[in-house]
Amino acid sequence: MIAMFGKFVKGVAIGVGLSVAATVAQADVITGLKPASPQPAASALKPGLAVQYYGAKLNSIREFIEWMEYDKGKAGPPIPQLNYQVGQGPVLTATATDMVGADITGFINFERSGPYTFMVHSNDGVRLTIGDKMIYEDPEVHADRFSDEITLEISEPGWYPVRVLYFEKKNTSTLELYWDPPGPEEVDYVPTKAFAHIGK
């Protein structure tokens, strides 16, 4: 697994001209994640993840959380997939190119039980929570960089709550989520079919 992700990350780093490659290390397996209870009805689910945008000059996820206590933000178009490395263009599905905070919520579907290994590629700050557990945080302003491997042991298939807090301060923006699910699939972006949110 480490070799597979390491080869993948090295290839991506070379492809986009990153000056520093990620350090890939085997982390402890995260267990005890809780699926949504009750499970959302199929008729209520809409594709992608819901997002609330905030216009703010932020330096950390902590500042973003404090900002959200006083600002309700504005709903944006759903995010189909976390596969954004857009340089100086619009941040995610927003129209702004700088000073954007995004509170991204919905569900991620684990079709079968077993180990799922994730990696996060971000610029700037990010916090990822799945099944009521924070599984990754890189909370402050930084250039493009990958997380280490994050392995989740999923004991029960189904839809799990997912929340991503993310902000971009200025210049370039990146938010990508990769996984290696159990089975023959190779490392890739978490697919669009794995994300959903409750539609209005």
PDB file of all heavy atoms in Angstrom, residues 6 23 46 53 59 94-95 99 101 123 127 140 143 158 184:
ATOM      1  N   GLY A   6       3.041   5.912  -2.576  1.00  0.00           N
ATOM      2  CA  GLY A   6       4.273   6.658  -2.771  1.00  0.00           C
ATOM      3  C   GLY A   6       4.573   6.886  -4.230  1.00  0.00           C
ATOM      4  O   GLY A   6       4.929   7.986  -4.644  1.00  0.00           O
ATOM      5  N   THR A  23       5.696  13.240   2.394  1.00  0.00           N
ATOM      6  CA  THR A  23       6.265  12.139   3.144  1.00  0.00           C
ATOM      7  C   THR A  23       5.176  11.107   3.338  1.00  0.00           C
ATOM      8  O   THR A  23       4.124  11.400   3.903  1.00  0.00           O
ATOM      9  CB  THR A  23       6.760  12.621   4.524  1.00  0.00           C
ATOM     10  OG1 THR A  23       7.752  13.619   4.317  1.00  0.00           O
ATOM     11  CG2 THR A  23       7.332  11.477   5.321  1.00  0.00           C
ATOM     12  N   LYS A  46     -29.142  13.957  -3.203  1.00  0.00           N
ATOM     13  CA  LYS A  46     -28.770  14.641  -4.436  1.00  0.00           C
ATOM     14  C   LYS A  46     -27.275  14.459  -4.661  1.00  0.00           C
ATOM     15  O   LYS A  46     -26.504  14.307  -3.720  1.00  0.00           O
ATOM     16  CB  LYS A  46     -29.104  16.132  -4.350  1.00  0.00           C
ATOM     17  CG  LYS A  46     -30.579  16.421  -4.071  1.00  0.00           C
ATOM     18  CD  LYS A  46     -31.478  15.945  -5.191  1.00  0.00           C
ATOM     19  CE  LYS A  46     -32.933  16.298  -4.898  1.00  0.00           C
ATOM     20  NZ  LYS A  46     -33.845  15.786  -5.959  1.00  0.00           N
ATOM     21  N   TYR A  53     -20.352  29.069   1.353  1.00  0.00           N
ATOM     22  CA  TYR A  53     -19.150  29.869   1.133  1.00  0.00           C
ATOM     23  C   TYR A  53     -19.138  31.112   2.016  1.00  0.00           C
ATOM     24  O   TYR A  53     -20.180  31.704   2.314  1.00  0.00           O
ATOM     25  CB  TYR A  53     -19.056  30.293  -0.334  1.00  0.00           C
ATOM     26  CG  TYR A  53     -18.652  29.177  -1.266  1.00  0.00           C
ATOM     27  CD1 TYR A  53     -19.521  28.733  -2.263  1.00  0.00           C
ATOM     28  CD2 TYR A  53     -17.416  28.566  -1.150  1.00  0.00           C
ATOM     29  CE1 TYR A  53     -19.151  27.704  -3.123  1.00  0.00           C
ATOM     30  CE2 TYR A  53     -17.035  27.532  -2.001  1.00  0.00           C
ATOM     31  CZ  TYR A  53     -17.912  27.115  -2.983  1.00  0.00           C
ATOM     32  OH  TYR A  53     -17.541  26.084  -3.829  1.00  0.00           O
ATOM     33  N   ASN A  59      -6.394  32.748   8.195  1.00  0.00           N
ATOM     34  CA  ASN A  59      -5.059  32.188   8.353  1.00  0.00           C
ATOM     35  C   ASN A  59      -5.066  30.788   8.959  1.00  0.00           C
ATOM     36  O   ASN A  59      -4.028  30.136   9.004  1.00  0.00           O
ATOM     37  CB  ASN A  59      -4.207  33.104   9.240  1.00  0.00           C
ATOM     38  CG  ASN A  59      -3.902  34.427   8.567  1.00  0.00           C
ATOM     39  OD1 ASN A  59      -3.214  34.471   7.554  1.00  0.00           O
ATOM     40  ND2 ASN A  59      -4.431  35.502   9.124  1.00  0.00           N
ATOM     41  N   ALA A  94     -17.110  28.207  -6.257  1.00  0.00           N
ATOM     42  CA  ALA A  94     -17.364  29.634  -6.024  1.00  0.00           C
ATOM     43  C   ALA A  94     -16.928  30.441  -7.244  1.00  0.00           C
ATOM     44  O   ALA A  94     -16.266  29.926  -8.148  1.00  0.00           O
ATOM     45  CB  ALA A  94     -16.606  30.104  -4.786  1.00  0.00           C
ATOM     46  N   THR A  95     -17.282  31.718  -7.267  1.00  0.00           N
ATOM     47  CA  THR A  95     -16.819  32.603  -8.328  1.00  0.00           C
ATOM     48  C   THR A  95     -15.576  33.379  -7.914  1.00  0.00           C
ATOM     49  O   THR A  95     -14.832  33.856  -8.762  1.00  0.00           O
ATOM     50  CB  THR A  95     -17.929  33.594  -8.722  1.00  0.00           C
ATOM     51  OG1 THR A  95     -18.338  34.324  -7.554  1.00  0.00           O
ATOM     52  CG2 THR A  95     -19.128  32.858  -9.301  1.00  0.00           C
ATOM     53  N   MET A  99      -9.512  34.551  -0.872  1.00  0.00           N
ATOM     54  CA  MET A  99     -10.191  34.819   0.398  1.00  0.00           C
ATOM     55  C   MET A  99     -11.557  34.132   0.452  1.00  0.00           C
ATOM     56  O   MET A  99     -12.605  34.762   0.574  1.00  0.00           O
ATOM     57  CB  MET A  99     -10.300  36.328   0.650  1.00  0.00           C
ATOM     58  CG  MET A  99      -8.949  36.983   0.862  1.00  0.00           C
ATOM     59  SD  MET A  99      -9.026  38.726   1.338  1.00  0.00           S
ATOM     60  CE  MET A  99      -9.597  39.454  -0.209  1.00  0.00           C
ATOM     61  N   GLY A 101     -13.697  30.838   2.240  1.00  0.00           N
ATOM     62  CA  GLY A 101     -13.872  29.737   3.173  1.00  0.00           C
ATOM     63  C   GLY A 101     -15.012  28.869   2.684  1.00  0.00           C
ATOM     64  O   GLY A 101     -16.005  29.388   2.161  1.00  0.00           O
ATOM     65  N   ASN A 123      -4.228  23.167  -0.350  1.00  0.00           N
ATOM     66  CA  ASN A 123      -3.618  24.493  -0.350  1.00  0.00           C
ATOM     67  C   ASN A 123      -4.803  25.483  -0.309  1.00  0.00           C
ATOM     68  O   ASN A 123      -5.520  25.594  -1.303  1.00  0.00           O
ATOM     69  CB  ASN A 123      -2.789  24.696  -1.627  1.00  0.00           C
ATOM     70  CG  ASN A 123      -2.310  26.124  -1.828  1.00  0.00           C
ATOM     71  OD1 ASN A 123      -2.595  27.008  -1.032  1.00  0.00           O
ATOM     72  ND2 ASN A 123      -1.622  26.371  -2.934  1.00  0.00           N
ATOM     73  N   ARG A 127      -9.671  20.689   7.128  1.00  0.00           N
ATOM     74  CA  ARG A 127     -10.001  19.712   8.175  1.00  0.00           C
ATOM     75  C   ARG A 127     -11.030  18.755   7.595  1.00  0.00           C
ATOM     76  O   ARG A 127     -12.063  19.185   7.078  1.00  0.00           O
ATOM     77  CB  ARG A 127     -10.560  20.383   9.425  1.00  0.00           C
ATOM     78  CG  ARG A 127     -11.021  19.388  10.500  1.00  0.00           C
ATOM     79  CD  ARG A 127     -11.745  20.057  11.635  1.00  0.00           C
ATOM     80  NE  ARG A 127     -10.823  20.852  12.464  1.00  0.00           N
ATOM     81  CZ  ARG A 127     -11.216  21.536  13.544  1.00  0.00           C
ATOM     82  NH1 ARG A 127     -12.511  21.542  13.892  1.00  0.00           N
ATOM     83  NH2 ARG A 127     -10.341  22.229  14.245  1.00  0.00           N
ATOM     84  N   GLU A 140      -3.408  25.455   8.704  1.00  0.00           N
ATOM     85  CA  GLU A 140      -2.957  26.813   8.442  1.00  0.00           C
ATOM     86  C   GLU A 140      -2.587  27.019   6.978  1.00  0.00           C
ATOM     87  O   GLU A 140      -2.673  26.097   6.166  1.00  0.00           O
ATOM     88  CB  GLU A 140      -1.783  27.136   9.376  1.00  0.00           C
ATOM     89  CG  GLU A 140      -2.197  27.061  10.847  1.00  0.00           C
ATOM     90  CD  GLU A 140      -1.058  27.345  11.790  1.00  0.00           C
ATOM     91  OE1 GLU A 140       0.114  27.325  11.345  1.00  0.00           O
ATOM     92  OE2 GLU A 140      -1.339  27.578  12.987  1.00  0.00           O
ATOM     93  N   ALA A 143       1.545  25.918   1.083  1.00  0.00           N
ATOM     94  CA  ALA A 143       1.593  25.582  -0.342  1.00  0.00           C
ATOM     95  C   ALA A 143       1.044  24.183  -0.552  1.00  0.00           C
ATOM     96  O   ALA A 143       0.776  23.443   0.402  1.00  0.00           O
ATOM     97  CB  ALA A 143       3.038  25.676  -0.832  1.00  0.00           C
ATOM     98  N   GLY A 158     -22.276   1.572   3.992  1.00  0.00           N
ATOM     99  CA  GLY A 158     -23.371   2.533   4.031  1.00  0.00           C
ATOM    100  C   GLY A 158     -22.889   3.958   3.856  1.00  0.00           C
ATOM    101  O   GLY A 158     -21.725   4.217   3.534  1.00  0.00           O
ATOM    102  N   PRO A 184     -10.011  -4.556  -6.037  1.00  0.00           N
ATOM    103  CA  PRO A 184      -9.048  -4.402  -7.130  1.00  0.00           C
ATOM    104  C   PRO A 184      -8.855  -2.968  -7.631  1.00  0.00           C
ATOM    105  O   PRO A 184      -7.971  -2.716  -8.443  1.00  0.00           O
ATOM    106  CB  PRO A 184      -9.661  -5.263  -8.231  1.00  0.00           C
ATOM    107  CG  PRO A 184     -11.145  -5.191  -7.985  1.00  0.00           C
ATOM    108  CD  PRO A 184     -11.289  -5.137  -6.493  1.00  0.00           C
TER     109      PRO A 184
END
